[in-house]
C-alpha cells in the first residue's frame, strides 16, 4: 500500500451547549419552563429574579420578527445561521448529520464549555428580562374579587367534607380512627379501590388476629362512611355505588309520598327495585345497553328494563367528582389573541402572556465583583469557574428570550393563515401543515413541532393548543380542500342536532358530508367521532 497525503474538505455540525439548551427550552411547556428557571436560580448565583419594572420593547404584531431589545438584534443576526442549522439537525432522528464519514465528532470538553469570549465585564444584555411582566400578587383585581384560580384553590376536598361530617358522629376511639383511615383511602371518585381485608393486611401484616380485628372495625366504619354525603361514597365497585343511591331513593319514596297516588308509588318502587337488580348484573351489560340480556337476567319486560336503565342514567357514578381540585385543570395560555375592529377592517393582535414570562437578570453586584477581581495565582481556577457560571447565566437569559420570540413568530404566522377561524370559528378552519409555517419562517418542521407542543393560545373562541390549528385536508367537489378540524366540527354539529330516538349512523353522517361537498368515508367519520369522544349510534339512542 502506497502512503501519501491528501487534502479533503468536509463539513460537520458541532452542537454547542448553548444551542443544546436553546432546543431543550423550546420544547418545554410553561410549567416545565418554570421548574427549569427555579432550578437555574438555585444553581447559578449570577442569575436572579427581578422584582422591579424596567423599560423594555413591547411584544406585538409590529415586532413579530424583531428580538426583544436592540442589543439582542445583533445577537440574533450573529446566531441566525447557527439556529437554522440546529433546526435542520434536530429534524433528523436525534443524531448529528455529517457530510463526510471522517468528520471529527464534538469533543467532550467542548460540550461543557460555557466560557464564551472570556469577558467578565457587565454586558448590556445583563439587564433584567421580562420586566413588563406583572408581579404575582394575591390574585385580587382592583375590585377585590377572586379570580377563577383562587376560587378553585379554595374548593373543599372530598376528604375534608367527609371529616367534617364524621366529626358530628359520636363514635368510640377505635371506630373514629377506622373511619378516618377509610376516608383517607378513598380515590378521587370517592370509591375504595382496595378491599377491607387488603387494607387490614397492609396495616397488620401477617398477624391474623389483628387483621380480623381491623376488618371488624373497618366493616363498622364502612357502614358509617356509606351513610355520609355524597350518596354512594365508600362503595368498592360501580355497581355498589349505584345501588347505594337507588336505596336512598327507595327510602325517600317511602318517607315522602307527596302528591303521588298509590299506583304511581308502586310503579316508581318497582322501577327502582328493577334498577337495583340491573346494578347487580355485570356492568358491561349496562354499558352496552344490552336490553335482551338484562331482560333475561332480571326476568323483566323490554319496557321495564329500559325504564330502569333510564333511572340509572340519572345517578352519579363518581360521587367525588364535584370535589376534584380544579386547579390542576387550569390552562394558562402562552399567547393571547385579541380582536381589534377599526371600521370595516378587522385585525388581530398577537401578544405573549406576560404572566408566564420569567423576569430574570444577571446579578449586578456579583458580576461587578468578578470583573474587578484579578483572579491571579491560586484563585485562577476559581475565577475561571465563576466566569463560566456568569456566561452560563447570560446564555440562559438569551435562550429564554429566543424561545418566546420563536413562539410569538409562529403564533403570528398561524393567526395570519387561520384568520377565518378567528372570525367565524372552527367551521372556517383551513388545512394547514407544519411545512407551510416552517417555510414562511425559514425554520425546520421539527422546530415548529416543538413550538406548538404544550403551548396554548387564548382566542375569542376559547383556549387551544397551537397544534390544534394544524390539520390535513379532505377533497371537496369544488376541487379545494376542507380542514379535518372543520370536518370534525361539522360532525359534532350533526350529532348535536340529531333525533336522539333515531341517532345518525356513521354512514349517514358520511352521506351528509358528501351533500356538503366533502368526500369523507365512513371509516374516517368513525375515526373523527372517536376523537371527539362521541359514543356510537347504539349508545346515543334514547331509550
Amino acid at each position: 500500500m502506497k502512503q501519501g497525503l491528501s487534502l479533503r474538505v468536509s463539513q460537520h455540525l458541532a452542537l454547542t451547549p448553548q444551542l443544546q439548551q436553546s432546543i431543550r427550552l423550546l420544547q418545554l411547556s410553561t410549567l416545565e419552563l418554570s421548574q427549569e428557571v427555579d432550578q437555574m436560580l438555585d444553581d447559578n448565583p449570577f442569575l436572579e429574579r427581578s422584582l422591579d419594572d424596567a423599560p423594555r420593547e413591547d411584544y406585538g404584531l409590529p415586532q413579530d420578527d424583531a428580538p426583544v431589545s436592540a442589543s439582542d438584534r445583533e445577537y440574533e443576526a450573529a446566531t441566525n445561521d447557527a439556529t437554522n442549522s440546529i433546526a435542520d439537525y434536530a429534524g433528523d432522528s436525534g443524531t448529528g448529520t455529517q457530510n463526510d464519514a471522517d468528520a471529527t465528532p464534538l469533543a467532550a470538553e467542548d460540550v461543557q464549555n460555557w466560557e464564551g469570549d472570556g469577558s467578565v465585564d457587565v454586558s448590556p444584555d445583563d439587564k433584567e428580562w421580562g420586566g413588563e411582566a406583572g408581579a404575582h400578587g394575591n390574585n385580587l383585581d382592583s375590585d377585590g374579587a377572586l379570580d377563577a384560580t383562587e376560587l378553585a384553590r379554595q374548593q373543599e376536598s372530598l376528604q375534608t367534607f367527609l371529616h367534617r361530617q364524621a366529626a358530628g358522629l359520636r363514635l368510640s376511639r377505635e371506630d373514629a380512627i377506622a373511619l378516618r383511615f377509610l376516608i383517607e383511602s378513598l380515590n378521587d371518585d370517592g370509591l375504595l379501590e382496595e378491599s377491607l381485608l387488603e387494607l387490614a393486611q397492609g396495616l397488620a401484616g401477617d398477624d391474623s388476629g389483628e387483621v380480623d380485628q381491623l376488618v371488624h372495625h373497618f366493616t363498622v366504619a364502612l357502614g358509617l362512611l356509606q351513610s355520609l354525603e355524597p350518596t354512594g361514597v365508600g362503595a368498592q365497585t360501580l355497581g355498589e355505588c349505584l345501588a347505594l343511591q337507588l336505596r336512598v331513593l327507595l327510602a325517600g319514596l317511602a318517607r315522602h309520598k307527596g302528591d303521588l297516588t298509590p299506583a304511581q308509588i308502586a310503579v316508581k318502587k318497582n322501577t327502582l327495585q328493577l334498577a337495583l337488580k340491573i346494578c347487580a348484573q355485570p356492568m358491561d351489560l349496562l354499558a352496552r345497553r344490552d336490553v335482551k340480556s338484562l331482560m333475561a337476567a332480571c326476568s323483566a319486560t323490554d319496557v321495564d328494563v329500559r325504564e330502569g336503565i333510564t333511572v340509572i342514567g340519572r345517578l352519579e357514578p363518581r360521587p367525588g367528582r364535584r370535589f376534584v381540585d380544579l386547579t390542576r385543570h387550569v390552562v394558562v395560555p402562552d399567547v393571547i389573541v385579541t380582536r381589534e375592529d377599526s371600521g370595516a377592517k378587522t385585525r388581530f393582535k398577537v401578544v405573549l402572556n406576560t404572566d408566564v414570562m420569567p423576569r430574570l437578570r444577571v446579578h449586578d453586584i456579583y458580576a461587578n465583583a468578578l470583573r474587578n477581581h484579578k483572579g491571579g495565582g491560586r484563585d485562577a481556577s476559581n475565577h475561571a469557574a465563576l466566569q463560566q457560571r456568569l456566561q452560563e447565566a447570560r446564555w440562559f437569559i438569551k435562550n429564554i428570550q429566543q424561545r418566546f420570540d420563536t413562539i410569538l413568530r409562529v403564533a403570528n404566522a398561524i393567526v395570519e393563515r387561520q384568520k377565518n377561524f378567528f372570525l367565524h370559528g372552527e367551521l372556517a378552519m383551513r388545512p394547514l401543515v407544519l411545512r407551510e409555517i416552517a417555510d414562511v419562517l425559514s425554520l425546520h418542521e421539527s422546530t415548529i413541532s416543538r413550538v406548538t407542543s404544550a403551548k396554548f393560545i387564548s382566542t375569542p373562541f376559547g383556549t387551544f393548543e397551537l397544534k390544534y390549528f394544524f390539520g390535513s385536508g379532505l377533497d371537496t367537489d369544488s376541487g379545494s380542500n376542507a380542514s379535518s378540524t372543520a370536518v370534525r366540527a361539522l360532525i359534532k354539529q350533526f350529532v348535536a342536532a340529531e333525533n336522539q330516538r333515531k341517532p345518525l349512523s356513521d354512514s349517514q353522517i358520511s352521506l351528509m358530508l358528501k351533500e356538503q361537498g366533502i368526500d369523507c368515508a365512513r371509516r374516517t367519520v368513525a375515526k373523527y367521532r372517536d376523537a371527539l369522544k362521541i359514543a356510537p349510534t347504539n349508545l346515543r339512542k334514547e331509550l
Side-chain angles (χ1 to χ4, degrees):
M1 177 182 292
K2 183 179 179 180
Q3 294 182 348
L5 297 175
S6 63
L7 183 63
R8 176 180 297 176
V9 178
S10 64
Q11 181 181 1
H12 72 279
L13 183 64
L15 196 61
T16 64
Q18 297 90 336
L19 294 177
Q20 289 181 23
Q21 185 185 74
S22 178
I23 292 174
R24 187 166 54 83
L25 291 178
L26 190 62
Q27 64 188 6
L28 296 180
S29 65
T30 298
L31 178 60
E32 292 169 338
L33 177 65
S34 177
Q35 295 172 346
E36 185 78 14
V37 169
D38 291 339
Q39 182 65 37
M40 184 61 71
L41 287 170
D42 291 339
D43 295 342
N44 197 316
F46 290 98
L47 195 66
E48 66 173 347
R49 198 186 296 273
S50 177
L51 301 178
D52 300 325
D53 291 337
R56 178 194 161 92
E57 296 172 9
D58 294 331
Y59 283 97
L61 283 173
Q63 289 193 228
D64 55 341
D65 291 326
V68 176
S69 61
S71 58
D72 285 327
R73 293 191 183 96
E74 301 176 359
Y75 162 74
E76 185 178 74
T79 59
N80 186 40
D81 293 338
T83 303
N84 291 335
S85 299
I86 286 304
D88 293 336
Y89 171 91
D92 296 329
S93 58
T95 59
T97 57
Q98 297 181 348
N99 293 340
D100 188 83
D102 298 330
T104 304
L106 183 66
E109 57 270 18
D110 293 335
V111 174
Q112 302 298 327
N113 181 19
W114 286 87
E115 295 182 1
D117 56 5
S119 171
V120 295
D121 294 340
V122 177
S123 169
D125 293 330
D126 289 347
K127 62 183 179 296
E128 64 180 75
W129 180 80
E132 77 277 17
H136 293 284
N138 55 0
N139 287 325
L140 295 176
D141 57 15
S142 56
D143 298 329
L146 294 174
D147 62 11
T149 305
E150 187 68 19
L151 289 173
R153 191 176 294 120
Q154 294 180 355
Q155 182 176 356
E156 187 177 37
S157 67
L158 174 63
Q159 279 72 19
T160 303
F161 182 67
L162 293 173
H163 286 315
R164 188 156 50 83
Q165 296 179 69
L169 301 177
R170 301 182 63 181
L171 304 175
S172 64
R173 181 174 178 274
E174 292 80 5
D175 290 339
I177 293 175
L179 178 57
R180 183 175 185 85
F181 181 80
L182 291 185
I183 291 175
E184 293 299 328
S185 300
L186 297 174
N187 60 16
D188 289 341
D189 294 334
L191 306 179
L192 278 174
E193 296 178 338
E194 297 179 277
S195 66
L196 300 184
L197 179 60
E198 290 174 339
L199 291 174
Q201 289 175 342
L203 293 176
D206 298 331
D207 190 341
S208 59
E210 189 173 353
V211 168
D212 293 339
Q213 188 175 4
L214 285 174
V215 169
H216 170 71
H217 287 297
F218 284 159
T219 303
V220 175
L222 183 61
L224 295 171
L225 175 59
Q226 293 179 350
S227 67
L228 302 179
E229 292 290 338
T231 307
V233 70
Q236 294 177 292
T237 63
L238 176 59
E240 184 183 4
C241 175
L242 299 174
L244 288 171
Q245 298 176 57
L246 290 171
R247 293 191 184 99
V248 171
L249 292 177
L250 274 171
L253 183 64
R255 290 195 304 267
H256 306 287
K257 297 180 181 179
D259 298 331
L260 298 177
T261 64
Q264 291 174 328
I265 293 175
V267 170
K268 286 185 174 292
K269 184 177 180 180
N270 290 336
T271 301
L272 292 174
Q273 289 175 342
L274 178 59
L276 275 171
K277 292 181 180 179
I278 294 174
C279 290
Q281 306 305 317
M283 285 291 103
D284 61 323
L285 298 179
L286 181 61
R288 297 197 310 267
R289 296 190 179 187
D290 192 344
V291 177
K292 292 184 178 179
S293 298
L294 291 174
M295 288 170 54
C298 301
S299 301
T301 64
D302 180 278
V303 175
D304 291 340
V305 169
R306 292 180 185 274
E307 289 180 357
I309 293 177
T310 301
V311 170
I312 294 173
R314 300 192 187 107
L315 303 178
E316 174 56 80
R318 300 176 180 177
R321 188 202 305 264
R322 63 187 176 96
F323 295 93
V324 175
D325 187 4
L326 298 180
T327 55
R328 74 182 72 176
H329 304 301
V330 174
V331 175
V332 181
D334 300 85
V335 183
I336 300 175
V337 179
T338 55
R339 178 171 177 167
E340 296 180 348
D341 293 323
S342 55
K345 187 177 181 181
T346 301
R347 66 185 294 267
F348 294 94
K349 184 179 181 181
V350 185
V351 295
L352 290 170
N353 184 5
T354 56
D355 291 338
V356 303
M357 296 164 58
R359 304 168 63 194
L360 303 174
R361 60 174 293 164
V362 170
H363 201 296
D364 293 337
I365 297 177
Y366 293 165
N368 287 328
L370 183 62
R371 179 189 59 179
N372 297 328
H373 183 66
K374 301 301 180 181
R378 298 179 179 178
D379 294 336
S381 60
N382 293 335
H383 186 272
L386 291 175
Q387 174 185 326
Q388 182 175 338
R389 299 296 283 178
L390 174 59
Q391 189 64 28
E392 182 181 351
R394 289 174 177 171
W395 271 107
F396 186 74
I397 294 175
K398 288 180 182 294
N399 285 333
I400 290 182
Q401 292 175 5
Q402 190 175 23
R403 175 188 186 272
F404 282 98
D405 288 341
T406 306
I407 291 175
L408 185 62
R409 292 177 61 200
V410 171
N412 273 317
I414 291 174
V415 172
E416 182 66 25
R417 280 147 190 82
Q418 296 290 8
K419 189 174 182 180
N420 287 335
F421 166 84
F422 294 94
L423 287 173
H424 308 293
E426 57 186 353
L427 285 174
M429 188 83 79
R430 54 157 288 192
L432 184 65
V433 294
L434 297 176
R435 168 58 65 183
E436 187 173 344
I437 300 296
D439 291 342
V440 171
L441 301 180
S442 300
L443 297 173
H444 196 276
E445 283 184 71
S446 64
T447 303
I448 306 300
S449 178
R450 286 181 173 89
V451 170
T452 55
S453 296
K455 315 295 189 306
F456 295 87
I457 181 171
S458 176
T459 74
F461 296 97
T463 301
F464 303 92
E465 188 179 12
L466 287 176
K467 274 193 178 299
Y468 173 77
F469 297 92
F470 295 88
S472 57
L474 297 176
D475 294 334
T476 63
D477 292 343
S478 61
S480 60
N481 290 332
S483 170
S484 58
T485 304
V487 174
R488 285 194 291 268
L490 271 175
I491 294 174
K492 188 191 304 183
Q493 194 176 80
F494 291 155
V495 172
E498 71 183 0
N499 182 355
Q500 294 185 352
R501 293 190 177 275
K502 293 182 179 179
L504 298 171
S505 66
D506 294 339
S507 298
Q508 290 174 318
I509 295 176
S510 177
L511 292 175
M512 294 173 69
L513 289 173
K514 287 183 179 179
E515 292 176 358
Q516 299 285 334
I518 301 173
D519 187 12
C520 187
R522 183 197 62 80
R523 288 177 297 179
T524 306
V525 171
K527 181 180 72 173
Y528 289 166
R529 178 179 52 74
D530 290 338
L532 293 170
K533 296 183 178 180
I534 297 176
T537 306
N538 62 321
L539 297 183
R540 298 202 310 272
K541 186 175 182 180
E542 186 179 284
L543 298 177

